[in-house]
Amino acid sequence: MTPDFALNAVHRYAFRFTQTDVNDFARITGDTNPLHLDAEFAAQTPFKRPIIHGMLSATVFTKVLGTEFPGYGSVYLGQTLEFLRPMFVDTDYEATFTVKEFNTEKHTAEILGEIRDVQTKKVTVRGMATLMHREKIA
């Protein structure tokens, strides 16, 4: 194992999404639910304004795990997700990734990912990823 990727190691990633990001995600996926795109429609919902697609928020997991922690060479084997609170455009979030378990024989790790609203500190998305990486999980 590399020193920066060990049991209980933590990696943080700050981010925010814009309405353009949401629009692009809707165009690419075909998920044009007005809850994400139409302020008038969203105003009539419990959220009162458009929310980010849950799966758009989850793209942070694959971005970080595939390019930063453990990084290039990672193979995604599985991911659980819980969408606990709505996320909104132009809001600061921080994703935290914590290594919870290693299997050195299979070169796999279980990594807990949580996204928090920076202002409220509340968890919006939580999930457990299973990754394989032959160089960093040895």
Side-chain angles (χ1 to χ4, degrees), residues 21-132:
D21 296 327
V22 173
N23 295 346
D24 288 346
F25 189 82
R27 181 182 51 77
I28 290 166
T29 64
D31 181 352
T32 57
N33 183 332
L35 182 57
H36 307 300
L37 306 171
D38 184 336
E40 285 184 29
F41 177 88
Q44 304 306 312
T45 72
F47 306 114
K48 303 298 181 205
R49 57 188 169 139
I51 63 172
I52 292 170
H53 299 79
M55 294 308 287
L56 174 57
S57 67
T59 64
V60 170
F61 287 63
T62 189
K63 184 262 189 256
V64 171
L65 297 173
T67 66
E68 295 181 10
F69 184 78
Y72 296 111
S74 296
V75 177
Y76 234 117
L77 300 177
Q79 175 75 59
T80 64
L81 290 169
E82 294 177 272
F83 301 106
L84 304 170
R85 289 181 175 75
M87 291 176 63
F88 303 98
V89 298
D90 301 323
T91 301
D92 292 323
Y93 294 97
E94 182 179 68
T96 304
F97 299 88
T98 307
V99 179
K100 292 299 197 178
E101 188 177 315
F102 279 111
N103 182 327
T104 54
E105 285 182 20
K106 294 183 178 181
H107 306 281
T108 60
E110 300 288 322
I111 302 169
L112 174 65
E114 293 182 314
I115 296 174
R116 280 188 173 73
D117 181 307
V118 170
Q119 184 177 2
T120 68
K121 308 292 186 217
K122 292 182 178 179
V123 176
T124 60
V125 180
R126 176 182 298 130
M128 187 69 75
T130 303
L131 293 176
M132 181 173 65

Side-chain angles (χ1 to χ4, degrees), residues 1-10 69 98-100 102 136:
M1 290 176 280
T2 60
D4 61 334
F5 191 77
L7 195 59
N8 297 316
V10 175
F69 184 78
T98 307
V99 179
K100 292 299 197 178
F102 279 111
K136 295 189 178 182

